[in-house]
Amino acid sequence: MTFDVHRVRAVYPALSDGYAYLDGAAGTQVPAAVIEAIADAYRSGLGNVGGTFPASGRSGSLVAECRQALADLTGRSPDGVILGPNMTTLTYRLADTLSRRWEPGDEVVVSRLDHDANIRPWVQAAARRGAVVRWAEVDISTTELPSAQYRELVSERTRLVAVTAASNVVGTRPDVAAIAAAAHAVGALVYVDGVHATPHVPVDAGALGADFYATSAYKWSGPHIGTVVAEPALLETLHPDKLAPAPESGPGRFERGTAAFADLAGVTAAVEHLASLDPTATGSRRQRVLASMAAVEEYETRLFARLIDGLDAMEHVTRYGRAARRAPTAFFTVTGHSPRQIAEHLASRRVNVWNGDNYAWELAGVLGLRDSGGAVRAGLVHYNDEADVDRLLAAVGELA
Ligand SMILES: Cc1ncc(COP(=O)(O)O)c(C=O)c1O
């Protein structure tokens, strides 16, 4: 299938402002259908859930539809979909809940590749429980996270392994299935940060071996809503703090207070949008999502080659990120300019990028970038095109 990026771009109102949006890794723009779904939810009248009147029923339907959409996106059951404001909040909540079972001397494994949201909640929970933190290291020359090290890192005391499905700066996609197999061999649970991977590849949380898979809709054309999906039976074994009248079972126990009902309509519309990206795909929404995300991966990989080939041809650019499997995210510095100055220059050329460590705080330390302002991150998503990439390359070229 030929990926029709012009058709895709046309459904994003924000892209008409003429900027090259290469900041998708920090949050994407949203298609008109998502904006309309949110507006329609409010227009139709909403109430809190569980009441006797139609507006209450509509909110209940929005919650159920959203859980089903996220199940279709991740390959899990809707009964295992926990909804919340963002990944960080939900991860802290699960770290609090899961760590209640940890004893002094138990172990957790985190990685230096991860965004801090999949490190610090576990490190802090471990400190509270007297548990030991073990670190999976990144090979700096390749920016790979070698999975073989996990066989040494896990032990009978390991309770949890937290690992990312893709680095939000260098893009590395570790072999999560192999890491999960090592964790499961010793009976540990696996918490996968899917925030950066989900916009770029087909996701099957079960095949990854993710007991928990976290993602945030605002990274894949939806509103600012996060989710963690798990097997319903696993969730039933956990007992988060909750209000007395709140549900006794199901994912609702992990969801505090009243949900952002209209935004949930936007999440469902965003999954529909992803499912539509391969217009030739047929079958269930799950099947269409898988086909569409495979098309997205192929398109982005091709466009990314143009981006990194262009950067690598410039002597004044140092690029980080050499992994064999990676998301289309470039992380680079330019000789003689701070990352902030580069980002300012690019903004003056109507190119949106991020500068800094982007919360990949441990990795920035390992790469020796933490104290020098990090690097510049230019990330592709499926609505970016060759003109975006060429504008970036031209503007970076001016800094020679
Ligand atoms: C890989 C990764 N993990 C976690 C997060 C945190 O997500 P949230 O903003 O939903 O808390 C981000 C956000 O940038 C991210 O890129």
Side-chain angles (χ1 to χ4, degrees):
M1 167 226 164
T2 316
F3 192 84
D4 186 351
V5 71
H6 299 294
R7 181 185 75 89
V8 171
R9 289 177 67 81
V11 304
Y12 283 85
L15 298 184
S16 62
D17 71 358
Y19 279 74
Y21 281 86
L22 299 178
D23 62 331
T28 50
Q29 305 309 305
V30 295
V34 170
I35 300 168
E36 287 306 319
I38 295 170
D40 283 351
Y42 281 124
R43 262 191 219 107
S44 69
L46 296 175
N48 213 332
V49 285
T52 53
F53 47 94
S56 170
R58 281 195 285 274
S59 295
S61 298
L62 293 180
V63 175
E65 285 160 15
C66 184
R67 288 197 213 284
Q68 183 60 59
L70 289 165
D72 288 345
L73 181 66
T74 57
R76 285 282 191 214
S77 153
D79 296 334
V81 174
I82 304 169
L83 301 167
N86 50 54
M87 179 274 186
T88 305
T89 302
L90 288 174
T91 303
Y92 264 114
R93 208 172 285 171
L94 280 151
D96 177 48
T97 305
L98 287 165
S99 63
R100 287 176 200 188
R101 308 201 280 205
W102 301 348
E103 305 285 341
D106 280 349
E107 297 173 4
V108 298
V109 182
V110 294
S111 100
R112 302 239 189 245
L113 186 68
D114 274 74
H115 186 287
D116 217 50
N118 201 29
I119 297 176
R120 220 54 54 191
W122 307 113
V123 169
Q124 291 163 353
R128 281 196 298 276
R129 304 296 301 171
V132 176
V133 177
R134 301 213 175 281
W135 291 88
E137 301 293 346
V138 174
D139 177 337
I140 303 176
S141 62
T142 60
T143 58
E144 298 279 6
L145 181 72
S147 52
Q149 65 184 310
Y150 281 85
R151 286 198 294 274
E152 310 295 324
L153 284 167
V154 298
S155 77
E156 294 302 319
R157 298 301 304 262
T158 309
R159 295 290 163 262
L160 183 112
V161 173
V163 68
T164 191
S167 157
N168 66 315
V169 290
V170 292
T172 305
R173 292 172 52 211
D175 188 348
V176 173
I179 294 168
H184 290 153
V186 296
L189 291 170
V190 177
Y191 193 98
V192 176
D193 177 356
V195 173
H196 194 69
T198 309
H200 304 298
V201 292
V203 173
D204 184 336
L208 283 176
D211 295 298
F212 302 91
Y213 184 90
T215 183
S216 281
Y218 76 96
K219 308 285 192 176
W220 36 266
S221 302
H224 289 86
I225 293 287
T227 186
V228 173
V229 298
E231 282 290 7
L234 172 60
L235 291 186
E236 290 309 308
T237 67
L238 304 177
H239 302 286
D241 277 344
K242 67 167 201 63
L243 304 184
E248 291 296 344
S249 73
R253 288 179 306 143
F254 296 83
E255 297 167 357
R256 292 182 177 164
T258 308
F261 301 120
D263 282 347
L264 300 187
V267 174
T268 304
V271 173
E272 287 288 352
H273 166 76
L274 295 183
S276 77
L277 288 171
D278 177 355
T280 67
T282 53
S284 67
R285 183 168 58 192
R286 171 73 182 147
Q287 288 167 325
R288 289 186 296 115
V289 165
L290 289 175
S292 291
M293 293 314 294
V296 164
E297 183 178 0
E298 195 196 325
Y299 170 73
E300 291 180 355
T301 301
R302 236 180 315 120
L303 192 57
F304 190 55
R306 186 183 185 96
L307 198 169
I308 55 177
D309 287 351
L311 288 178
D312 289 350
M314 297 185 210
E315 277 182 12
H316 58 299
V317 171
T318 304
R319 195 174 59 76
Y320 302 85
R322 309 266 159 201
R325 280 180 359 129
R326 59 194 163 182
T329 312
F331 201 47
F332 63 94
T333 52
V334 177
T335 307
H337 304 271
S338 73
R340 184 76 186 178
Q341 287 168 338
I342 304 161
E344 282 167 356
H345 171 72
L346 291 175
S348 77
R349 298 294 186 266
R350 298 166 85 85
V351 178
N352 299 352
V353 295
W354 275 96
N355 64 282
D357 57 47
N358 300 293
Y359 279 32
W361 198 74
E362 295 289 341
L363 185 61
V366 170
L367 294 175
L369 296 170
R370 198 190 286 161
D371 300 325
S372 54
V376 172
R377 177 178 66 180
L380 302 179
V381 292
H382 65 263
Y383 54 64
N384 291 121
D385 61 8
E386 290 184 356
D388 291 340
V389 170
D390 292 349
R391 179 123 42 105
L392 171 87
L393 294 175
V396 173
E398 291 170 354
L399 295 170

